[in-house]
Amino acid sequence: MSIFHNITISNTQLGDVPYIFELENKNFIDNNVYTIDQLKKMFNSRDYKMFSMFNGKELCGYSILHITDKIDLEKICIDKKYQRHGLGTLLLNKIFDKYKNKKVILEVNKKNINAINFYKKNNFKQISIRKNYYANNQDAIILER
């Protein structure tokens, strides 16, 4: 029996923000968690774009983008129970389709091997390293596509 019922990706609605906050806290255990107020500010800002992914009526993922002359992928999250089923790639493809003519850039903790492999599988290339970017002096790898 499939865990997928009807996967949809849409522009985030204000009513999605509390569910994004819940998923944020469920899936990110470090201090890299946005507050509900930060999420609302990003939702209301013209400089940010958020996408929500649903399995039926259940929020199963989201992305947060900072839009400038390029796309800064601030966050992409797929609920742990939905990971490793291609949904992260589906969400990235939505971003790539929407912003065909812009570069997408992101940073990821050098120790987050699963995320690095996911991004490389989706054709991101390492362009730089930011030393001591994260807590405990951990480096960030900068990736671009």
Side-chain angles (χ1 to χ4, degrees):
M1 186 165 131
S2 174
I3 62 170
F4 305 115
H5 302 290
N6 181 22
I7 300 296
T8 58
I9 302 171
S10 57
N11 295 331
T12 295
Q13 303 299 308
L14 183 58
D16 300 341
V17 173
Y19 299 103
I20 289 172
F21 177 70
E22 186 179 306
L23 197 57
E24 177 92 350
N25 281 281
K26 183 175 159 185
N27 283 274
F28 295 100
I29 55 174
D30 59 11
N31 62 355
N32 195 22
V33 177
Y34 291 121
T35 66
I36 190 81
D37 288 337
Q38 288 172 314
L39 289 168
K40 285 179 181 176
K41 281 181 186 174
M42 286 184 278
F43 173 82
N44 287 314
S45 172
R46 295 173 52 110
D47 296 332
Y48 285 86
K49 179 73 174 172
M50 299 169 75
F51 291 107
S52 297
M53 176 182 273
F54 290 90
N55 180 33
K57 294 184 185 245
E58 179 184 8
L59 181 76
C60 60
Y62 62 91
S63 63
I64 302 172
L65 314 172
H66 183 221
I67 313 295
T68 59
D69 58 328
K70 62 187 179 306
I71 306 300
D72 287 309
L73 181 58
E74 298 284 329
K75 180 100 37 134
I76 186 169
C77 177
I78 302 297
D79 191 335
K80 288 182 183 187
K81 72 180 179 182
Y82 291 102
Q83 290 178 3
R84 304 207 179 273
H85 294 285
L87 297 184
T89 297
L90 194 64
L91 194 49
L92 279 178
N93 286 338
K94 174 73 172 182
I95 295 164
F96 300 145
D97 288 346
K98 173 96 175 149
Y99 300 101
K100 288 181 173 78
N101 299 320
K102 291 193 178 218
K103 290 187 182 280
V104 178
I105 192 167
L106 62 94
E107 65 260 341
V108 61
N109 190 311
K110 181 177 169 180
K111 294 185 180 213
N112 191 344
I113 302 303
N114 288 337
I116 293 166
N117 289 338
F118 165 74
Y119 292 123
K120 287 187 175 182
K121 182 182 93 175
N122 284 281
N123 299 314
F124 281 85
K125 306 288 183 225
Q126 181 175 332
I127 59 168
S128 182
I129 293 179
R130 287 190 182 139
K131 295 284 187 188
N132 305 319
Y133 183 75
Y134 293 107
N136 300 324
N137 299 321
Q138 294 179 14
D139 298 341
I141 294 177
I142 311 304
L143 300 169
E144 181 182 79
R145 175 178 158 167

